[in-house]
Amino acid sequence: MENSENGGVEPKQKNKGKHRKPKPWDDDPNIDRWKIEKFDPSWNEGGMLEVTSFSTLFPQYREKYLQEAWPIVKSALKEYGISCELNLVEGSMTVSTTRKTKDPYIVVKARDLIKLLSRSVPAPQAIKVLNDEMQCDIIKISNLVRNKERFIKRRQRLMGPNSSTLKALEILTGCYILIQGNTVSAMGSFKPLKQVRKIVEDCMQNVMHPIFHIKILMVRKELEKDPTLAHESWDRFLPKFKKKNINQNKVKRKEKRPYTPYPPPPQPSKIDIQLQTGEYFLNDKVKSAKKWQERQEKQTEKTAENKRKREAAFIPPKEPVVQDTKSDDGGKDLAAMAISLKKKAKEYGRQNSAENVNAEAYIAESGEPSKKKSKRKHS
């Protein structure tokens, strides 16, 4: 502490980074600090001092496949000095370090390998996780959705028809994705794995459909080709999707009854009903006789109903009655035709008689008076 001119006390400043000395490779532009260098066994010639082991369980349906593929897994791990064991009795796989193990991180990679094998990833694909550039992520999706039907529906949405959505995600992210049961296994580099986790969680939580994520990834892939947009924000180019609220059928709630401090009246019991009807005081014989009579009545009603049903099959259906309206009209038409024909015959006869009249005979007849008229005159 130092005393100032005003008599105050000033705190002593700490020299930050006093042990930090400039290194010759700090300003070297040829060094890529993000590059993961391959492990060199010369960095750890002494090997591992302690034994580290990891074990995981596997489902019963994977037992047969693991037995067949275990020699491939064993030979792949032997190159890195890792020992592995397959226990079929307990249903577990174990990996552990040995004296030949040089890379201290390879045991963690071996742990990821057996986890992927237990989640139904094929052995040739799972062995790739031992490379330094390859990472894996096992996403648990069972706890994101409670309803089983909704869970199956959203998991199928993530896969798509004929796994088309899953294939599109694999192409755009460059990751291997496998959906098995309650987990999604993904293999790739760090950044694509982060994208895959985001897509899976958004799909299972119904935040965004995987198709919209695919559209965004396609736009990003095109924007990466343009070097002028490397230092600009891409938000103006990315599509924005708004969630539409679909009108769902609301559940009708029961109206609340008005509150009353008094409880509802008690319902009468069987004994109370028997006391009211008088059955309670009857003898057992009378009760049994009454029950038997009721049973007989029900039985007769039932038999009559069954008989009615059986006989209904033999009753012929009523035939539709066709009313012959043409008969009356036909009779009227015939009568009218007969009257008209008589009239025409009379007219035709008169015309013929007028045409065939003899003039001399007509004059002679007209001159002689008729006998009927003369008789009337004499009388």
Side-chain angles (χ1 to χ4, degrees):
M1 305 295 284
E2 294 180 359
N3 294 330
S4 61
E5 294 178 356
N6 298 331
V9 179
E10 291 182 359
K12 188 178 180 181
Q13 293 182 356
K14 292 182 179 180
N15 296 327
K16 284 189 175 181
K18 62 180 180 180
H19 301 292
R20 171 71 180 162
K21 295 179 181 179
K23 308 292 189 300
W25 54 81
D26 284 349
D27 301 323
D28 191 356
N30 299 324
I31 298 173
D32 186 8
R33 305 186 193 288
W34 292 101
K35 185 181 178 182
I36 300 171
E37 295 183 6
K38 193 175 180 180
F39 180 78
D40 189 3
S42 62
W43 297 348
N44 187 17
E45 293 180 355
M48 307 294 289
L49 298 175
E50 295 289 338
V51 176
T52 307
S53 63
F54 293 101
S55 63
T56 184
L57 300 173
F58 60 86
Q60 192 175 2
Y61 62 85
R62 292 288 291 170
E63 184 177 331
K64 190 176 179 181
Y65 176 79
L66 288 173
Q67 275 183 307
E68 295 172 358
W70 198 248
I72 304 166
V73 177
K74 199 169 186 179
S75 61
L77 290 172
K78 194 174 181 180
E79 295 177 6
Y80 298 94
I82 298 290
S83 66
C84 56
E85 183 185 353
L86 178 66
N87 193 340
L88 298 174
V89 177
E90 295 179 359
S92 64
M93 292 178 284
T94 308
V95 290
S96 58
T97 57
T98 59
R99 291 184 178 180
K100 295 180 180 179
T101 308
K102 302 294 181 183
D103 187 359
Y105 191 71
I106 198 66
V107 70
V108 180
K109 292 273 190 179
R111 179 199 63 184
D112 295 341
L113 168 62
I114 58 174
K115 276 187 179 180
L116 291 170
L117 288 171
S118 66
R119 295 316 306 149
S120 299
V121 177
Q125 179 66 33
I127 287 167
K128 294 179 184 178
V129 81
L130 297 174
N131 300 330
D132 291 336
E133 297 83 14
M134 187 69 71
Q135 308 297 327
C136 78
D137 189 10
I138 297 172
I139 307 158
K140 193 176 180 182
I141 57 175
S142 61
N143 56 352
L144 298 176
V145 186
R146 289 185 179 181
N147 192 352
K148 190 177 180 181
E149 292 179 3
R150 203 173 293 166
F151 169 77
I152 293 166
K153 191 177 179 181
R154 290 180 187 174
R155 187 179 63 180
Q156 185 61 35
R157 186 189 300 170
L158 186 62
M159 293 178 71
N162 298 324
S163 302
S164 57
T165 308
L166 204 64
K167 288 173 187 174
L169 288 172
E170 285 183 349
I171 292 164
L172 290 168
T173 57
C175 293
Y176 172 82
I177 306 169
L178 178 72
I179 300 170
Q180 176 67 26
N182 297 330
T183 57
V184 178
S185 305
M187 292 176 64
S189 54
F190 287 110
K191 192 175 178 182
L193 283 176
K194 197 175 179 182
Q195 291 176 343
V196 170
R197 178 172 275 274
K198 172 73 174 166
I199 292 164
V200 171
E201 288 178 353
D202 285 356
C203 177
M204 297 306 295
Q205 292 173 351
N206 203 24
V207 176
M208 190 183 288
H209 200 281
I211 295 296
F212 299 147
H213 278 293
I214 288 168
K215 288 181 180 179
I216 292 167
L217 288 171
M218 288 171 73
V219 173
R220 284 181 180 276
K221 204 166 188 179
E222 292 298 321
L223 292 171
E224 284 174 1
K225 296 175 183 177
D226 193 354
T228 57
L229 299 171
H231 302 288
E232 293 183 17
S233 178
W234 292 350
D235 292 340
R236 53 185 177 169
F237 302 109
L238 298 175
K240 294 177 182 177
F241 304 102
K242 291 182 180 179
K243 191 175 180 181
K244 294 180 181 178
N245 292 325
I246 300 167
N247 293 326
Q248 296 179 352
N249 295 328
K250 293 182 179 179
V251 180
K252 292 182 180 179
R253 294 182 179 178
K254 293 181 180 178
E255 294 182 359
K256 290 184 178 179
R257 295 178 182 178
Y259 173 74
T260 54
Y262 305 106
Q267 297 295 327
S269 63
K270 287 183 179 180
I271 297 171
D272 295 337
I273 295 166
Q274 287 177 359
L275 286 168
Q276 288 176 4
T277 55
E279 292 179 12
Y280 185 77
F281 303 102
L282 297 175
N283 296 331
D284 293 337
K285 290 183 179 179
V286 178
K287 285 181 182 178
S288 60
K290 194 174 183 180
K291 283 181 182 179
W292 182 81
Q293 190 177 358
E294 289 175 358
R295 203 179 300 118
Q296 287 293 324
E297 288 175 1
K298 287 180 182 178
Q299 193 172 356
T300 50
E301 288 177 4
K302 194 73 176 175
T303 51
E305 189 179 349
N306 293 336
K307 189 177 180 182
R308 205 181 305 116
K309 286 180 181 178
R310 286 195 300 271
E311 290 176 353
F314 299 100
I315 298 170
K318 292 181 180 180
E319 295 182 359
V321 179
V322 180
Q323 295 180 356
D324 192 5
T325 55
K326 295 182 180 179
S327 61
D328 299 338
D329 296 339
K332 291 177 183 178
D333 293 342
L334 288 170
M337 284 174 69
I339 292 163
S340 63
L341 286 169
K342 286 179 181 179
K343 286 181 180 179
K344 286 180 181 178
K346 285 180 181 180
E347 289 175 1
Y348 184 72
R350 287 173 185 173
Q351 288 176 2
N352 288 340
S353 62
E355 289 175 359
N356 300 327
V357 169
N358 192 356
E360 294 177 356
Y362 181 75
I363 292 164
E365 286 177 1
S366 61
E368 293 179 359
S370 59
K371 294 178 180 180
K372 290 180 180 180
K373 288 181 180 179
S374 60
K375 284 179 181 180
R376 284 177 184 172
K377 286 178 181 179
H378 287 295
S379 60

